[in-house]
C-alpha cells in the first residue's frame, strides 16, 4: 500500500503504472472488503484491509501481497467484478491500496458507478484480451499506459482498444466526474420538480 | 429502447435535466439512510460546506451494526456505538427523521419504510444499500447507491444516472404448495445468471407475481440485485394500495383519495415496449437451495449439485471455486447436507409473513440438538406483531433463539457470525465467501420455511414433507 496516497481530483487523461491481476469471475464486494471493516466513520484506513480474508487464506501468496506488485496501480479483472453490496468502501479500499484504474471483462453496476464517483476509471476488454493480459502479467512485471482520450492501453509490443462509455470518458477528460457540482447547478429546476410531483403534495397534506 | 413501461414513466417524471456527461439528473422522492453508508457522506457535506437540501425527504434508521442480543446503550462494541452515535448526531444536526432503537419503528431499512407507508407507488427511492430494489414491489423505482451518491442526494435531492433498459420477467401459472417467493427469485437468478441484469431494471409480471402478497413481492424485488439488476419492480394493484392504507405515513382522508387516483394510473401500458422479455413457468419451480458461492448457484432440493460439464463454459470457473470452497462434490445431493446454524431474518425474509410460515412448521416440534438456530425479526413492528401472535413462544419452544431486530447474520457486522467452516441454512440473500462472518463459513440460501425444516432435521430437507398437503 502506498504511503504517499494522493486522491484523484480534476482532469484524468492518462494512467501509467504496473498491472496487478486478480483472476476469477463474480468477485463480490464482500470479498473486496469484508463487512467487519465497514465499522468506520471514514474511509481512511481501508487500504490495508482490501481482500483481507482472501489474503489471509493465501498466506502471503495473494497477488496483493507479492513483492513485485507492491506499487501496482492498474487492476486487471475478469467478469462481473464488484457484484453484491453497494458499499463504496470496496473501491475506496482499492484506491487507498493504490489502484488508479481497472480493466475488466465486465463490472457490476453499482461498483462501476462508485468507481466513477471517486475517480477510478473502469475499462472493458474482451474475455480473450483479458486472459492475454493476465497471462503476460503472470509472475512478470507488466507496465501499461492508458490513454483515455483515445481509449487505448499500450505496453511494449501491445496496443489494446479499451471500452469506455463516451459520456464517462468525457467526464474524466473534463474533470466533471465528481457529480455534485453539476447537480448543484440545477437547484431551481430541482425546486420546480419538487412542486410538480403529485406525491409530494398528497403526502404533505396528511 | 423501452417505451411506456412503469419504469419509463417514473423515470421521465423525475428527470430534472440532461447532464453534460450524458447521464440524467434524477430527483429522488424518498432517501433512506442508515449508519454504515452515511457517515462519510455527511463528512463530505461538511468538507464542501453544503447543507441537506430537503431534510424531510430523508428518513433514517439503524440496522446493520445493531447487536441482536443486548441492545442497551452504550453498545458493547465501541465501533458500533460510535457509528450509531454518529448517525444520531447527523440526524439531529440536519433535522432528519430518525427511527432509533426503542421508537417502535426501528428495523432493517427495507422492512421499515414499507411498513411505515413511506414506500409508495410512482416514487423514486434511493438508499446506500444494494437491497433498496425491495421497494420496487410497490411500483416505485428504487435502487442502491454508493456513499458519494448518498452525499449527492443529501446535497441536491438528485443523482446523476444513466437510464436503465427494461427486461420483463413474465411468470406464468402459480407457485405450488410449499414453494415460496424465495424459490421463485432464486430460480430466476439461476436461469438468467448473476450478471444478466447489469444495465437493466427488471419488471416482474404475470399471474404468478400477481398472486403473491406484498411481502412476497418484496422478497422478489429485494433479490433483483443478486441477478445484477440494480432495480426491480412490480406494477401496483389493489394489494399494493391495501397494504399502504392506514400505515403511519400513508396519505389520509382526502389525500388518500388523491393518492389512490394517481397510483391507479401508474402501470406499464398494455402495448409498452421492453428491451427484453423472458418467460418462465412458476408451477414447475420446487423448493430451492444454493450450493455455491453466488446466489445463481442453486438447485431444487431433490436435485444434485451440477457436474462441471453440465454448466456453460462461463459458469465453470466460478463453479470450480465453489466446489472447493464449499467442500461439496459435483453430483452430490444437496438434500441431507448437514447444517450447523439456522438463521431466519434479513431484508429478504425477515417480515411477519416469513415468521408465520416458519413458526407453522416449527409448532410442537423440536429442532435438532446439534443446530444453533435463531430468528431475527426484520423490525420492532414485526417483533411486536409476532409476540402478539405468540410466534416468539413457538420459536423458543422449538429451540430457536428469539432476538432483537437488525440485519444480523445476513452480513455479520454485529456479533452474530458463523465460526470456522460451519454451514448455515439461511433465509438471507447472499452466499458469498465469508459473507456470514467467518472467512471460510458456508451459506445455503433458502426460504424461511426450508430453514425451519433444516433446523428440525439438522440437515437440508424438503419442507413439503412438513406441511399439510
Amino acid at each position: 500500500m502506498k504511503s504517499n496516497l494522493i486522491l484523484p481530483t480534476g482532469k484524468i487523461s492518462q494512467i501509467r503504472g504496473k498491472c496487478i491481476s486478480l483472476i476469477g469471475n463474480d468477485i463480490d464486494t464482500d470479498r473486496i472488503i469484508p463487512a467487519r471493516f465497514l465499522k468506520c466513520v471514514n474511509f481512511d484506513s481501508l487500504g490495508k484491509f482490501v481482500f483481507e480474508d482472501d489474503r489471509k487464506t493465501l498466506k502471503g501468496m495473494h497477488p496483493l501481497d507479492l513483492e513485485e506488485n507492491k506499487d501496482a496501480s492498474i487492476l486487471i479483472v475478469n467478469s462481473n467484478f464488484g457484484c453484491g453490496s453497494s458499499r463504496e468502501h470496496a473501491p475506496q479500499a482499492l484506491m487507498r491500496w493504490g489502484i488508479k484504474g481497472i480493466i475488466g471483462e465486465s463490472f457490476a453496476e453499482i461498483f462501476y458507478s462508485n468507481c466513477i464517483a471517486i475517480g477510478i476509471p473502469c475499462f472493458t476488454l474482451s474475455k480473450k484480451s483479458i486472459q492475454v493480459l493476465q497471462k503476460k502479467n503472470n509472475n512478470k512485471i507488466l507496465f501499461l499506459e492508458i490513454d483515455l482520450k483515445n481509449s487505448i492501453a499500450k505496453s511494449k509490443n501491445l496496443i489494446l482498444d479499451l471500452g469506455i462509455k463516451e459520456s464517462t470518458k468525457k467526464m474524466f477528460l473534463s474533470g466533471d466526474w465528481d457529480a455534485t457540482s453539476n447537480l448543484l447547478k440545477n437547484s431551481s429546476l430541482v425546486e420546480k420538480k419538487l412542486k410538480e410531483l403529485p406525491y409530494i403534495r398528497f403526502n404533505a397534506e396528511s | 429502447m423501452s417505451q411506456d413501461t412503469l419504469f419509463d414513466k417514473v423515470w421521465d417524471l423525475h428527470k430534472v435535466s440532461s447532464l453534460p456527461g450524458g447521464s440524467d439528473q434524477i430527483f429522488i422522492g424518498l432517501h433512506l439512510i442508515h449508519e454504515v453508508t452515511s457517515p462519510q457522506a455527511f463528512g463530505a457535506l461538511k468538507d464542501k460546506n453544503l447543507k441537506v437540501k430537503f431534510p424531510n425527504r430523508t428518513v433514517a434508521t439503524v440496522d446493520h451494526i445493531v447487536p441482536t442480543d443486548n441492545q442497551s446503550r452504550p453498545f458493547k462494541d465501541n465501533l458500533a456505538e460510535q457509528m450509531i452515535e454518529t448517525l444520531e448526531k447527523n440526524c439531529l444536526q440536519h433535522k432528519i427523521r430518525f427511527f432509533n432503537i426503542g421508537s417502535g419503528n426501528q428495523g432493517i431499512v427495507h422492512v421499515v419504510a414499507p411498513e411505515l407507508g413511506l414506500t409508495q407507488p410512482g416514487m423514486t427511492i434511493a438508499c446506500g444499500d444494494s437491497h433498496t430494489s425491495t421497494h420496487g414491489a410497490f411500483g416505485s423505482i428504487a435502487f442502491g447507491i454508493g456513499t458519494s451518491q448518498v452525499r449527492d442526494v443529501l446535497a441536491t435531492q438528485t443523482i446523476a444516472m444513466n437510464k436503465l433498459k427494461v427486461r420483463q420477467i413474465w411468470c406464468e401459472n402459480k407457485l405450488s404448495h410449499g414453494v415460496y417467493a424465495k424459490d421463485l427469485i432464486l430460480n430466476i437468478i439461476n436461469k438468467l445468471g448473476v450478471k444478466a441484469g447489469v444495465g437493466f431494471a427488471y419488471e416482474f409480471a404475470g399471474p404468478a407475481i400477481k398472486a403473491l402478497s406484498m411481502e412476497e413481492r418484496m422478497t422478489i424485488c429485494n433479490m433483483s440485485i443478486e441477478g445484477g439488476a440494480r432495480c426491480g419492480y412490480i406494477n401496483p394493484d389493489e394489494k399494493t394500495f391495501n397494504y399502504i392504507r392506514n400505515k403511519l405515513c400513508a396519505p389520509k382522508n382526502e389525500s388518500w383519495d388523491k393518492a389512490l387516483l394517481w397510483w391507479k394510473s401508474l402501470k406499464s401500458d398494455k402495448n409498452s415496449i421492453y428491451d427484453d422479455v423472458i418467460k418462465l413457468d412458476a408451477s414447475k419451480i420446487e423448493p430451492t437451495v444454493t450450493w455455491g458461492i453466488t446466489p445463481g448457484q442453486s438447485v431444487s432440493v431433490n436435485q444434485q449439485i451440477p457436474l462441471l460439464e453440465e454448466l456453460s463454459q462461463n459458469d465453470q470457473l466460478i463453479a470450480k471455486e465453489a466446489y472447493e470452497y464449499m467442500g461439496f462434490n459435483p453430483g452430490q445431493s444437496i438434500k441431507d447436507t448437514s447444517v450447523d446454524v439456522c438463521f431466519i431474518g434479513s431484508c429478504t425474509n425477515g417480515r411477519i409473513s416469513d415468521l408465520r410460515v416458519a413458526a407453522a412448521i416449527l409448532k410442537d416440534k423440536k429442532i435438532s440438538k446439534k443446530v444453533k438456530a435463531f430468528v431475527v425479526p426484520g423490525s420492532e413492528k414485526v417483533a411486536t406483531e409476532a409476540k402478539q401472535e405468540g410466534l416468539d413462544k413457538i420459536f423458543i419452544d422449538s429451540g430457536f433463539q428469539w432476538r432483537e431486530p437488525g440485519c444480523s447474520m445476513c452480513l455479520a457486522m454485529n456479533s452474530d457470525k458463523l465460526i470456522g467452516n460451519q454451514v448455515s441454512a439461511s433465509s438471507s440473500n447472499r452466499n458469498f465467501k465469508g459473507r456470514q462472518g467467518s472467512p471460510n463459513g458456508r451459506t445455503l440460501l433458502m426460504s424461511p420455511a426450508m430453514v425451519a425444516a433444516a433446523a428440525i432435521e439438522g440437515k437440508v430437507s424438503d419442507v413439503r414433507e412438513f406441511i399439510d398437503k
Side-chain angles (χ1 to χ4, degrees):
Chain A
M1 194 178 60
K2 291 178 181 175
S3 50
N4 54 340
L5 178 78
I6 303 164
L7 300 181
T9 50
K11 294 176 186 174
I12 300 172
S13 57
Q14 195 185 47
I15 302 166
R16 292 161 75 173
K18 222 191 245 183
C19 294
I20 175 170
S21 297
L22 289 179
I23 295 173
N25 292 332
D26 308 312
I27 292 181
D28 58 79
T29 52
D30 273 271
R31 279 173 70 186
I32 299 174
I33 187 83
R36 61 185 181 279
F37 300 113
L38 311 191
K39 272 192 265 177
C40 55
V41 291
N42 60 55
F43 295 124
D44 300 346
S45 61
L46 291 178
K48 56 180 177 287
F49 302 121
V50 70
F51 282 101
E52 171 79 1
D53 291 345
D54 283 15
R55 291 163 77 177
K56 270 209 172 131
T57 309
L58 291 177
K59 299 187 175 97
M61 295 308 289
H62 191 278
L64 290 162
D65 292 320
L66 299 178
E67 196 52 44
E68 66 262 31
N69 288 333
K70 285 273 153 77
D71 52 352
S73 60
I74 299 173
L75 183 63
I76 315 289
V77 296
N78 300 98
S79 129
N80 200 27
F81 187 76
C83 58
S85 158
S86 65
R87 59 189 70 165
E88 190 174 299
H89 306 66
Q92 289 279 358
L94 287 168
M95 182 172 78
R96 282 158 212 277
W97 186 87
I99 297 301
K100 293 193 163 67
I102 312 180
I103 303 177
E105 198 185 321
S106 65
F107 299 94
E109 197 163 318
I110 305 179
F111 176 83
Y112 181 89
S113 73
N114 283 339
C115 284
I116 305 307
I118 64 174
I120 304 178
C122 297
F123 306 91
T124 55
L125 203 55
S126 71
K127 186 176 174 175
K128 219 171 157 187
S129 302
I130 290 284
Q131 282 167 350
V132 169
L133 271 185
Q134 288 179 332
K135 213 169 159 190
K136 270 187 189 289
N137 195 198
N138 188 18
N139 297 321
K140 279 186 221 103
I141 290 173
L142 173 68
F143 274 100
L144 273 186
E145 190 178 316
I146 298 173
D147 167 3
L148 259 98
K149 190 159 173 253
N150 297 303
S151 314
I152 53 169
K154 277 193 296 192
S155 78
K156 259 192 214 161
N157 318 320
L158 188 74
I159 296 187
L160 294 162
D161 283 319
L162 301 174
I164 183 166
K165 257 186 232 142
E166 204 55 34
S167 55
T168 312
K169 186 164 102 180
K170 261 195 231 158
M171 278 158 53
F172 283 118
L173 291 172
S174 65
D176 277 343
W177 50 270
D178 177 4
T180 322
S181 51
N182 274 321
L183 297 173
L184 281 167
K185 282 179 198 157
N186 294 326
S187 190
S188 57
L189 288 177
V190 174
E191 276 149 32
K192 188 166 161 264
K193 183 58 82 182
L194 179 83
K195 289 190 187 115
E196 278 169 24
L197 289 168
Y199 61 82
I200 303 283
R201 265 171 283 143
F202 59 63
N203 278 306
E205 286 162 9
S206 51
Chain B
M1 225 167 73
S2 64
Q3 254 177 44
D4 304 323
T5 67
L6 178 73
F7 181 84
D8 291 287
K9 294 178 191 183
V10 177
W11 185 274
D12 294 346
L13 179 67
H14 290 83
K15 183 172 164 177
V16 173
S17 74
S18 299
L19 293 167
S23 56
D24 288 344
Q25 181 174 11
I26 295 296
F27 186 94
I28 300 301
L30 174 64
H31 183 214
L32 303 167
I33 60 170
H34 59 81
E35 74 283 12
V36 177
T37 55
S38 69
Q40 297 88 346
F42 283 107
L45 282 193
K46 200 176 164 198
D47 291 345
K48 293 185 177 224
N49 205 14
L50 293 166
K51 282 189 183 147
V52 177
K53 186 155 179 78
F54 300 124
N56 62 353
R57 304 239 56 85
T58 294
V59 175
T61 190
V62 57
D63 52 10
H64 284 64
I65 52 99
V66 299
T68 59
D69 46 1
N70 179 359
Q71 296 190 333
S72 60
R73 299 283 299 277
F75 294 152
K76 269 190 228 141
D77 178 345
N78 287 334
L79 287 172
E81 177 61 26
Q82 191 192 356
M83 293 182 83
I84 189 173
E85 280 175 14
T86 305
L87 183 64
E88 286 169 333
K89 208 172 69 201
N90 284 328
C91 288
L92 193 68
Q93 186 189 338
H94 296 279
K95 299 191 170 61
I96 289 167
R97 245 185 312 173
F98 177 37
F99 294 106
N100 205 344
I101 295 171
S103 65
N105 291 315
Q106 172 268 341
I108 307 174
V109 63
H110 311 306
V111 176
V112 164
E115 70 187 9
L116 287 173
L118 288 164
T119 300
Q120 295 171 14
M123 280 182 169
T124 45
I125 302 178
C127 173
D129 190 284
S130 62
H131 292 110
T132 307
S133 55
T134 312
H135 307 267
F138 292 80
S140 63
I141 297 307
F143 37 76
I145 56 178
T147 296
S148 293
Q149 288 187 311
V150 172
R151 171 203 64 201
D152 291 345
V153 179
L154 289 171
T156 72
Q157 205 58 42
T158 62
I159 59 167
M161 196 167 150
N162 289 307
K163 192 174 175 186
L164 299 168
K165 290 184 277 188
V166 185
R167 173 177 293 136
Q168 188 188 51
I169 299 173
W170 184 267
C171 304
E172 219 28 272
N173 298 318
K174 263 166 94 172
L175 292 172
S176 346
H177 196 52
V179 180
Y180 303 91
K182 182 63 154 287
D183 302 305
L184 174 56
I185 188 64
L186 283 174
N187 274 271
I188 291 171
I189 298 163
N190 175 268
K191 188 181 157 85
L192 300 181
V194 291
K195 62 169 187 164
V198 173
F200 282 92
Y202 279 177
E203 177 181 297
F204 300 99
I209 298 293
K210 198 93 184 142
L212 298 176
S213 71
M214 283 316 291
E215 298 197 346
E216 291 172 311
R217 292 179 189 183
M218 284 189 248
T219 301
I220 300 285
C221 291
N222 172 276
M223 286 187 73
S224 304
I225 185 64
E226 311 314 334
R230 196 171 185 173
C231 164
Y233 69 89
I234 293 168
N235 284 297
D237 60 11
E238 286 302 323
K239 280 185 193 170
T240 320
F241 313 141
N242 286 336
Y243 181 98
I244 301 169
R245 195 191 302 267
N246 297 327
K247 294 275 191 285
L248 185 70
C249 303
K252 308 272 160 34
N253 307 320
E254 273 173 44
S255 298
W256 171 261
D257 299 333
K258 284 183 204 165
L260 202 58
L261 199 65
W262 186 60
W263 293 343
K264 282 184 174 171
S265 73
L266 287 169
K267 55 184 168 214
S268 295
D269 290 350
K270 271 209 175 107
N271 302 319
S272 55
I273 298 168
Y274 296 91
D275 296 283
D276 191 26
V277 177
I278 298 281
K279 292 192 179 184
L280 62 93
D281 183 351
S283 67
K284 296 225 166 84
I285 289 169
E286 296 193 68
T288 300
V289 182
T290 63
W291 57 269
I293 53 171
T294 80
Q297 294 174 315
S298 65
V299 286
S300 299
V301 64
N302 294 312
Q303 278 181 329
Q304 283 76 41
I305 294 169
L307 302 172
L308 201 59
E309 54 267 31
E310 290 168 343
L311 298 166
S312 75
Q313 214 166 4
N314 276 337
D315 292 336
Q316 291 187 3
L317 186 65
I318 190 85
K320 277 188 213 162
E321 220 179 312
Y323 300 141
E324 196 193 326
Y325 181 83
M326 298 299 284
F328 295 159
N329 295 316
Q332 175 183 334
S333 290
I334 194 71
K335 199 176 172 186
D336 296 336
T337 301
S338 184
V339 302
D340 307 299
V341 178
C342 290
F343 170 62
I344 295 177
S346 86
C347 58
T348 311
N349 281 121
R351 297 187 176 80
I352 188 68
S353 55
D354 298 313
L355 270 49
R356 283 181 192 138
V357 168
I361 288 154
L362 293 164
K363 194 169 179 1
D364 302 327
K365 294 205 176 62
K366 295 281 179 208
I367 64 167
S368 161
K369 285 211 165 70
K370 70 180 190 73
V371 164
K372 175 191 170 185
F374 60 113
V375 53
V376 181
S379 70
E380 292 181 343
K381 260 194 159 50
V382 171
T384 306
E385 217 174 329
K387 282 180 191 165
Q388 281 164 357
E389 296 175 21
L391 304 185
D392 58 329
K393 233 185 140 300
I394 295 173
F395 279 109
I396 293 164
D397 289 347
S398 76
F400 265 77
Q401 297 174 30
W402 177 262
R403 300 288 191 82
E404 303 293 336
C407 298
S408 181
M409 207 180 68
C410 174
L411 87 166
M413 273 192 80
N414 64 359
S415 57
D416 305 328
K417 294 178 199 302
L418 293 181
I419 300 164
N421 70 348
Q422 278 183 328
V423 173
S424 87
S426 181
S427 75
S428 55
N429 42 57
R430 285 180 178 145
N431 51 343
F432 297 152
K433 286 181 176 178
R435 170 75 177 182
Q436 293 192 295
S438 165
N440 51 341
R442 297 172 286 174
T443 302
L444 310 180
L445 301 175
M446 58 189 84
S447 71
M450 285 285 284
V451 176
I456 295 167
E457 295 291 322
K459 57 190 186 182
V460 174
S461 309
D462 188 339
V463 69
R464 291 171 297 190
E465 291 162 18
F466 291 78
I467 49 179
D468 304 324
K469 301 243 165 174

